[in-house]
Amino acid sequence: MDTKLVQKVSENFAKNFSSEPVLIYSPGRINIIGEHTDYNAGFVFPAAIDKGIVAAIQKNNGNESTAIAIDMDESYKFDTNNLDTSNLSSWQAYVVGVAAEIQKKGKTFGNFDIVFGGNIPDGAGMSSSAALENSVVFGINELFDLGLTKYEMVLISQAAEHNYVGVKCGIMDQYASMFGIENSALLLDCRTAQAEPFKIDLKEYQLLLFNTNVKHKLSDSAYNDRRAVCEKTAEMLGIDALRDATEADLEKVKDKLSAEDFQKVLYVVQENERAEKASTAMKEGDLEGLGKLIYGSHNGLQHQYKVSCDELDFLVDLAKENSNILGARMMGGGFGGCTINLIKKTAVASFKEKAVAAYTEKFGHECSPYEVALSDGTNVIK
Ligand code: GLA
């Protein structure tokens, strides 16, 4: 827990409001493997992390709610009795969109004040947006005693993203942020929404992230386009989702798809297999096998699904040259954000130094290394 962040958020709340707030921690997430499989009803392997959003929230009896985004130094006022969801900036859409989705479920609640801040940069691919959505739904549920289950809250956060942010995301980010377990990753079956927790013990290895500090434009429309290709292909095959397809099935519709789209759906089927194999490798303590699957995932994301970018590829190529790194790949939606590396602990310091220097020389700005601990999901800070 980042006590400085908790203090900063509490102090800001105290400066602006007179009540005693409920404090909520809502984590971001990493994903070991299983990328772009969630909206295909497949497997993903995420974990909540010790970085995310801290929110201070309390009811008020007036007819106006105030949301303050400390990191943007912005505030926004709205009335829960008459929510206006037009013309929202992106952080406002996360807050007001969640409130609107809760109301769609037939739940009523009054006005509230919320102050939030975070310690993962926007666009890093660590799901600061899911963390924020979950903090809002969790906070409102807690304050107004709405009786929503955690899974209902996950679906509300996801719907806010679909309807007010415009990204037709799967369920991985909101689920991992809500249901995370300390020191564990979750093998999540996105069809059943059942997760198997895995205690993560990487022996002399650890996970290390590098944020490219870039987020290329068009990433949201590229995401929705790919989702549409997957759904169209599933429909052609007469199945519910690509999770049910084999490579042999795809061959049957190959001539109805462009060569590019065929590679995309092939990637999804193969990535889903990799995610399942990764869980076996993890159970058997086969870190080399796991690493190979992680490299395989990047290869598919780069060449078949085409959601990587030069900055991510550069960092993965650098990892491949280093025998202390068993696997590396881009993480999350793509077009920027982070790479995740499975690296020997003793090699972390030197690789960080080398990667930052080489990256800066190549792109003219730094990449940022992150070490993360796996944490519990969204919860009230006691
Ligand atoms: C984004 C989405 C997730 C998932 C990943 C790709 O993070 O929000 O639902 O699809 O991209 O795996």
Side-chain angles (χ1 to χ4, degrees), residues 323-355:
S323 60
N324 291 312
I325 300 177
L326 297 179
R329 64 179 200 86
M330 56 149 276
M331 193 179 77
F335 303 102
C338 284
T339 63
I340 181 166
N341 300 264
L342 178 57
I343 181 172
K344 206 175 235 171
K345 287 178 182 154
T346 51
V348 167
S350 65
F351 186 64
K352 270 189 193 169
E353 202 177 310
K354 186 173 174 198

mmCIF file of all heavy atoms in Angstrom, residues 323-355:
data_model
loop_
_atom_site.group_PDB
_atom_site.id
_atom_site.type_symbol
_atom_site.label_atom_id
_atom_site.label_comp_id
_atom_site.label_asym_id
_atom_site.label_seq_id
_atom_site.Cartn_x
_atom_site.Cartn_y
_atom_site.Cartn_z
ATOM 1 N N SER A 323 20.168 -13.744 -21.893
ATOM 2 C CA SER A 323 19.861 -15.126 -21.489
ATOM 3 C C SER A 323 19.246 -15.204 -20.080
ATOM 4 O O SER A 323 18.740 -16.250 -19.681
ATOM 5 C CB SER A 323 21.113 -15.986 -21.568
ATOM 6 O OG SER A 323 22.073 -15.436 -20.697
ATOM 7 N N ASN A 324 19.277 -14.101 -19.335
ATOM 8 C CA ASN A 324 18.643 -14.095 -18.008
ATOM 9 C C ASN A 324 17.153 -13.800 -18.083
ATOM 10 O O ASN A 324 16.474 -13.752 -17.060
ATOM 11 C CB ASN A 324 19.306 -13.037 -17.116
ATOM 12 C CG ASN A 324 20.710 -13.431 -16.757
ATOM 13 O OD1 ASN A 324 20.941 -14.562 -16.352
ATOM 14 N ND2 ASN A 324 21.651 -12.512 -16.934
ATOM 15 N N ILE A 325 16.664 -13.549 -19.276
ATOM 16 C CA ILE A 325 15.235 -13.277 -19.446
ATOM 17 C C ILE A 325 14.610 -14.453 -20.181
ATOM 18 O O ILE A 325 15.010 -14.791 -21.294
ATOM 19 C CB ILE A 325 15.014 -11.950 -20.208
ATOM 20 C CG1 ILE A 325 15.658 -10.812 -19.417
ATOM 21 C CG2 ILE A 325 13.516 -11.690 -20.404
ATOM 22 C CD1 ILE A 325 15.590 -9.465 -20.077
ATOM 23 N N LEU A 326 13.635 -15.082 -19.545
ATOM 24 C CA LEU A 326 13.045 -16.294 -20.128
ATOM 25 C C LEU A 326 11.919 -15.970 -21.100
ATOM 26 O O LEU A 326 11.626 -16.757 -21.998
ATOM 27 C CB LEU A 326 12.500 -17.207 -19.020
ATOM 28 C CG LEU A 326 13.537 -17.769 -18.032
ATOM 29 C CD1 LEU A 326 12.849 -18.633 -16.997
ATOM 30 C CD2 LEU A 326 14.596 -18.568 -18.784
ATOM 31 N N GLY A 327 11.275 -14.823 -20.908
ATOM 32 C CA GLY A 327 10.171 -14.454 -21.789
ATOM 33 C C GLY A 327 9.847 -12.980 -21.635
ATOM 34 O O GLY A 327 10.067 -12.400 -20.567
ATOM 35 N N ALA A 328 9.347 -12.372 -22.700
ATOM 36 C CA ALA A 328 8.923 -10.965 -22.644
ATOM 37 C C ALA A 328 7.857 -10.758 -23.710
ATOM 38 O O ALA A 328 7.881 -11.409 -24.748
ATOM 39 C CB ALA A 328 10.095 -10.023 -22.896
ATOM 40 N N ARG A 329 6.944 -9.837 -23.421
ATOM 41 C CA ARG A 329 5.903 -9.545 -24.412
ATOM 42 C C ARG A 329 5.222 -8.229 -24.068
ATOM 43 O O ARG A 329 5.344 -7.736 -22.943
ATOM 44 C CB ARG A 329 4.858 -10.661 -24.464
ATOM 45 C CG ARG A 329 4.071 -10.819 -23.183
ATOM 46 C CD ARG A 329 3.037 -11.935 -23.313
ATOM 47 N NE ARG A 329 2.011 -11.753 -22.299
ATOM 48 C CZ ARG A 329 0.945 -10.986 -22.436
ATOM 49 N NH1 ARG A 329 0.730 -10.318 -23.537
ATOM 50 N NH2 ARG A 329 0.087 -10.856 -21.455
ATOM 51 N N MET A 330 4.504 -7.684 -25.039
ATOM 52 C CA MET A 330 3.666 -6.523 -24.751
ATOM 53 C C MET A 330 2.481 -6.992 -23.910
ATOM 54 O O MET A 330 2.079 -8.161 -23.975
ATOM 55 C CB MET A 330 3.171 -5.846 -26.025
ATOM 56 C CG MET A 330 2.420 -6.743 -26.988
ATOM 57 S SD MET A 330 1.139 -5.879 -27.936
ATOM 58 C CE MET A 330 -0.255 -5.899 -26.804
ATOM 59 N N MET A 331 1.925 -6.078 -23.135
ATOM 60 C CA MET A 331 0.853 -6.451 -22.216
ATOM 61 C C MET A 331 -0.340 -5.525 -22.409
ATOM 62 O O MET A 331 -0.160 -4.329 -22.597
ATOM 63 C CB MET A 331 1.392 -6.303 -20.793
ATOM 64 C CG MET A 331 0.554 -6.909 -19.716
ATOM 65 S SD MET A 331 1.358 -6.669 -18.109
ATOM 66 C CE MET A 331 0.975 -4.948 -17.807
ATOM 67 N N GLY A 332 -1.551 -6.084 -22.388
ATOM 68 C CA GLY A 332 -2.755 -5.258 -22.483
ATOM 69 C C GLY A 332 -3.208 -5.093 -23.926
ATOM 70 O O GLY A 332 -2.882 -5.907 -24.799
ATOM 71 N N GLY A 333 -3.946 -4.038 -24.165
ATOM 72 C CA GLY A 333 -4.563 -3.831 -25.475
ATOM 73 C C GLY A 333 -3.564 -3.621 -26.601
ATOM 74 O O GLY A 333 -3.791 -4.033 -27.735
ATOM 75 N N GLY A 334 -2.452 -2.971 -26.318
ATOM 76 C CA GLY A 334 -1.406 -2.767 -27.312
ATOM 77 C C GLY A 334 -1.233 -1.324 -27.751
ATOM 78 O O GLY A 334 -1.759 -0.409 -27.112
ATOM 79 N N PHE A 335 -0.439 -1.112 -28.799
ATOM 80 C CA PHE A 335 -0.139 0.209 -29.362
ATOM 81 C C PHE A 335 0.552 1.129 -28.348
ATOM 82 O O PHE A 335 0.410 2.356 -28.413
ATOM 83 C CB PHE A 335 -1.402 0.882 -29.897
ATOM 84 C CG PHE A 335 -2.124 0.056 -30.934
ATOM 85 C CD1 PHE A 335 -3.258 -0.666 -30.605
ATOM 86 C CD2 PHE A 335 -1.630 -0.015 -32.227
ATOM 87 C CE1 PHE A 335 -3.914 -1.445 -31.555
ATOM 88 C CE2 PHE A 335 -2.273 -0.791 -33.183
ATOM 89 C CZ PHE A 335 -3.419 -1.510 -32.851
ATOM 90 N N GLY A 336 1.252 0.532 -27.410
ATOM 91 C CA GLY A 336 1.929 1.311 -26.378
ATOM 92 C C GLY A 336 1.718 0.629 -25.050
ATOM 93 O O GLY A 336 1.307 -0.529 -25.003
ATOM 94 N N GLY A 337 2.011 1.350 -23.976
ATOM 95 C CA GLY A 337 1.891 0.720 -22.662
ATOM 96 C C GLY A 337 3.142 -0.067 -22.335
ATOM 97 O O GLY A 337 4.236 0.297 -22.761
ATOM 98 N N CYS A 338 2.972 -1.156 -21.624
ATOM 99 C CA CYS A 338 4.111 -1.870 -21.023
ATOM 100 C C CYS A 338 4.484 -3.170 -21.713
ATOM 101 O O CYS A 338 3.653 -3.816 -22.334
ATOM 102 C CB CYS A 338 3.750 -2.261 -19.596
ATOM 103 S SG CYS A 338 3.794 -0.924 -18.434
ATOM 104 N N THR A 339 5.754 -3.564 -21.492
ATOM 105 C CA THR A 339 6.130 -4.960 -21.705
ATOM 106 C C THR A 339 6.224 -5.624 -20.335
ATOM 107 O O THR A 339 6.446 -4.961 -19.324
ATOM 108 C CB THR A 339 7.504 -5.118 -22.397
ATOM 109 O OG1 THR A 339 8.518 -4.562 -21.550
ATOM 110 C CG2 THR A 339 7.511 -4.422 -23.747
ATOM 111 N N ILE A 340 6.036 -6.942 -20.322
ATOM 112 C CA ILE A 340 6.214 -7.723 -19.098
ATOM 113 C C ILE A 340 7.333 -8.727 -19.368
ATOM 114 O O ILE A 340 7.364 -9.349 -20.431
ATOM 115 C CB ILE A 340 4.898 -8.383 -18.647
ATOM 116 C CG1 ILE A 340 5.098 -9.184 -17.358
ATOM 117 C CG2 ILE A 340 4.259 -9.257 -19.723
ATOM 118 C CD1 ILE A 340 3.791 -9.588 -16.668
ATOM 119 N N ASN A 341 8.270 -8.822 -18.432
ATOM 120 C CA ASN A 341 9.454 -9.657 -18.610
ATOM 121 C C ASN A 341 9.579 -10.649 -17.469
ATOM 122 O O ASN A 341 9.388 -10.286 -16.302
ATOM 123 C CB ASN A 341 10.715 -8.774 -18.595
ATOM 124 C CG ASN A 341 10.699 -7.739 -19.704
ATOM 125 O OD1 ASN A 341 11.269 -7.938 -20.756
ATOM 126 N ND2 ASN A 341 10.001 -6.619 -19.479
ATOM 127 N N LEU A 342 9.920 -11.875 -17.795
ATOM 128 C CA LEU A 342 10.210 -12.896 -16.784
ATOM 129 C C LEU A 342 11.729 -12.976 -16.693
ATOM 130 O O LEU A 342 12.396 -13.521 -17.571
ATOM 131 C CB LEU A 342 9.590 -14.233 -17.219
ATOM 132 C CG LEU A 342 9.809 -15.449 -16.332
ATOM 133 C CD1 LEU A 342 9.317 -15.201 -14.907
ATOM 134 C CD2 LEU A 342 9.077 -16.668 -16.921
ATOM 135 N N ILE A 343 12.282 -12.389 -15.643
ATOM 136 C CA ILE A 343 13.725 -12.127 -15.584
ATOM 137 C C ILE A 343 14.333 -12.648 -14.291
ATOM 138 O O ILE A 343 13.677 -12.629 -13.238
ATOM 139 C CB ILE A 343 13.982 -10.595 -15.747
ATOM 140 C CG1 ILE A 343 15.471 -10.262 -15.714
ATOM 141 C CG2 ILE A 343 13.240 -9.788 -14.697
ATOM 142 C CD1 ILE A 343 15.785 -8.798 -16.075
ATOM 143 N N LYS A 344 15.579 -13.091 -14.377
ATOM 144 C CA LYS A 344 16.309 -13.553 -13.189
ATOM 145 C C LYS A 344 16.510 -12.367 -12.250
ATOM 146 O O LYS A 344 16.903 -11.276 -12.705
ATOM 147 C CB LYS A 344 17.660 -14.127 -13.622
ATOM 148 C CG LYS A 344 18.204 -15.150 -12.668
ATOM 149 C CD LYS A 344 19.479 -15.768 -13.214
ATOM 150 C CE LYS A 344 19.339 -17.278 -13.266
ATOM 151 N NZ LYS A 344 20.445 -17.919 -13.969
ATOM 152 N N LYS A 345 16.236 -12.582 -10.955
ATOM 153 C CA LYS A 345 16.320 -11.468 -10.003
ATOM 154 C C LYS A 345 17.676 -10.772 -10.038
ATOM 155 O O LYS A 345 17.763 -9.551 -9.982
ATOM 156 C CB LYS A 345 16.066 -11.988 -8.584
ATOM 157 C CG LYS A 345 14.607 -12.328 -8.340
ATOM 158 C CD LYS A 345 14.371 -12.880 -6.946
ATOM 159 C CE LYS A 345 12.892 -13.250 -6.804
ATOM 160 N NZ LYS A 345 12.645 -14.288 -5.812
ATOM 161 N N THR A 346 18.745 -11.583 -10.165
ATOM 162 C CA THR A 346 20.086 -10.993 -10.120
ATOM 163 C C THR A 346 20.388 -10.154 -11.366
ATOM 164 O O THR A 346 21.382 -9.437 -11.398
ATOM 165 C CB THR A 346 21.151 -12.110 -10.018
ATOM 166 O OG1 THR A 346 20.882 -13.058 -11.071
ATOM 167 C CG2 THR A 346 21.095 -12.823 -8.679
ATOM 168 N N ALA A 347 19.552 -10.262 -12.385
ATOM 169 C CA ALA A 347 19.832 -9.531 -13.627
ATOM 170 C C ALA A 347 18.996 -8.256 -13.761
ATOM 171 O O ALA A 347 19.150 -7.491 -14.717
ATOM 172 C CB ALA A 347 19.572 -10.434 -14.821
ATOM 173 N N VAL A 348 18.106 -8.020 -12.781
ATOM 174 C CA VAL A 348 17.150 -6.911 -12.897
ATOM 175 C C VAL A 348 17.854 -5.551 -13.002
ATOM 176 O O VAL A 348 17.593 -4.774 -13.927
ATOM 177 C CB VAL A 348 16.143 -6.930 -11.719
ATOM 178 C CG1 VAL A 348 15.351 -5.640 -11.640
ATOM 179 C CG2 VAL A 348 15.208 -8.119 -11.853
ATOM 180 N N ALA A 349 18.771 -5.291 -12.074
ATOM 181 C CA ALA A 349 19.390 -3.955 -12.033
ATOM 182 C C ALA A 349 20.128 -3.654 -13.333
ATOM 183 O O ALA A 349 19.954 -2.580 -13.924
ATOM 184 C CB ALA A 349 20.336 -3.851 -10.840
ATOM 185 N N SER A 350 20.921 -4.618 -13.813
ATOM 186 C CA SER A 350 21.703 -4.327 -15.012
ATOM 187 C C SER A 350 20.820 -4.223 -16.253
ATOM 188 O O SER A 350 21.056 -3.380 -17.120
ATOM 189 C CB SER A 350 22.804 -5.369 -15.205
ATOM 190 O OG SER A 350 22.214 -6.618 -15.461
ATOM 191 N N PHE A 351 19.758 -5.037 -16.315
ATOM 192 C CA PHE A 351 18.898 -4.942 -17.502
ATOM 193 C C PHE A 351 18.109 -3.623 -17.515
ATOM 194 O O PHE A 351 17.920 -3.016 -18.567
ATOM 195 C CB PHE A 351 17.951 -6.141 -17.612
ATOM 196 C CG PHE A 351 17.156 -6.132 -18.897
ATOM 197 C CD1 PHE A 351 17.786 -6.253 -20.134
ATOM 198 C CD2 PHE A 351 15.770 -5.952 -18.887
ATOM 199 C CE1 PHE A 351 17.065 -6.211 -21.334
ATOM 200 C CE2 PHE A 351 15.037 -5.913 -20.078
ATOM 201 C CZ PHE A 351 15.691 -6.044 -21.299
ATOM 202 N N LYS A 352 17.680 -3.206 -16.334
ATOM 203 C CA LYS A 352 16.969 -1.912 -16.261
ATOM 204 C C LYS A 352 17.832 -0.811 -16.855
ATOM 205 O O LYS A 352 17.382 -0.023 -17.685
ATOM 206 C CB LYS A 352 16.712 -1.552 -14.784
ATOM 207 C CG LYS A 352 15.427 -2.054 -14.199
ATOM 208 C CD LYS A 352 15.282 -1.395 -12.829
ATOM 209 C CE LYS A 352 14.217 -2.029 -12.003
ATOM 210 N NZ LYS A 352 14.240 -1.579 -10.602
ATOM 211 N N GLU A 353 19.086 -0.801 -16.384
ATOM 212 C CA GLU A 353 19.998 0.257 -16.820
ATOM 213 C C GLU A 353 20.214 0.190 -18.336
ATOM 214 O O GLU A 353 20.116 1.186 -19.045
ATOM 215 C CB GLU A 353 21.332 0.060 -16.086
ATOM 216 C CG GLU A 353 22.170 1.310 -16.001
ATOM 217 C CD GLU A 353 23.433 1.031 -15.185
ATOM 218 O OE1 GLU A 353 23.315 0.477 -14.066
ATOM 219 O OE2 GLU A 353 24.521 1.333 -15.692
ATOM 220 N N LYS A 354 20.458 -1.036 -18.801
ATOM 221 C CA LYS A 354 20.734 -1.211 -20.224
ATOM 222 C C LYS A 354 19.520 -0.836 -21.076
ATOM 223 O O LYS A 354 19.635 -0.126 -22.084
ATOM 224 C CB LYS A 354 21.103 -2.674 -20.471
ATOM 225 C CG LYS A 354 21.535 -2.879 -21.880
ATOM 226 C CD LYS A 354 22.076 -4.245 -22.159
ATOM 227 C CE LYS A 354 22.301 -4.291 -23.671
ATOM 228 N NZ LYS A 354 22.428 -5.590 -24.216
ATOM 229 N N ALA A 355 18.349 -1.295 -20.653
ATOM 230 C CA ALA A 355 17.152 -1.062 -21.457
ATOM 231 C C ALA A 355 16.806 0.431 -21.506
ATOM 232 O O ALA A 355 16.477 0.963 -22.571
ATOM 233 C CB ALA A 355 15.980 -1.869 -20.898
#
